[in-house]
Amino acid sequence: DSIAAFLQAAKYFNLETEPSSVERLHYGLGLDYIKTENFSKAQAEFSFLIAYSQDNKVKISSLARTADIYAETGDLDKAISVYKSILKDNSGCHLCDYANYRLAMVFLQLKDYAQAAEALKMVLSEYPNSQLLEEANFYLGSAYFDINDFSGCYLQLRSFISKYPESNLKSQAMLLQGLSLKSLKRFN
């Protein structure tokens, strides 16, 4: 399928002057395969880009999608390894906030709430313009709750509700706040 798509694209693009067209083709195919849950073909597309792309953004994006596939298919150790390699090898990259956030989500799946909290704190402190701040704020409060830091949970979620009063996560945040107060014996 990938070879056929490549040959089809070759008819429309001058591959010598527009290598990014080929990269966009492979990346788009990979995303389409993810949508149809054909993870092995998606993995092949992103692996191709990791190996052959000259564009660092394309390589990092492909690495992130590879880690997402590992997380989606339950290979959480590989997902952690790839997210960490993105962060280690590409400090300040265009997807470092995403890699930290997704790393935190994998740690939450593993019930490693302390490491999840650390990754979420990194998103909040290092990437103040990230589009993931709302979710990172909420899940940090949730992680505090799960490690029995009820005071931290209450304060984090109070800040979350103040910053994001229209959030779809607001009712969950209020529930965790109430449970935190109950655990702190502030009310019965």
Side-chain angles (χ1 to χ4, degrees), residues 5-92:
F6 177 83
L7 292 174
Q8 184 67 26
K11 294 178 185 177
Y12 299 104
F13 300 115
N14 178 347
L15 299 181
E16 292 179 35
T17 59
E18 293 186 28
S20 63
S21 299
V22 173
E23 292 171 344
R24 285 194 300 268
L25 171 72
H26 282 280
Y27 197 81
L29 283 171
L31 293 176
D32 283 343
Y33 288 137
I34 287 174
K35 288 178 189 173
T36 60
E37 297 186 6
N38 191 336
F39 297 117
S40 62
K41 286 189 177 184
Q43 191 71 40
E45 296 299 333
F46 296 123
S47 293
F48 172 84
L49 289 168
I50 293 165
Y52 296 108
S53 178
Q54 299 300 309
D55 186 330
N56 201 41
K57 282 187 173 185
V58 171
K59 284 186 178 207
I60 294 168
S61 297
S62 298
L63 281 167
R65 294 298 180 188
T66 296
D68 292 345
I69 291 168
Y70 288 138
E72 182 70 25
T73 59
D75 197 342
L76 302 181
D77 290 334
K78 280 188 180 176
I80 290 170
S81 176
V82 175
Y83 289 131
K84 284 185 173 182
S85 76
I86 291 169
L87 296 167
K88 179 180 163 257
D89 299 338
N90 303 285
S91 179

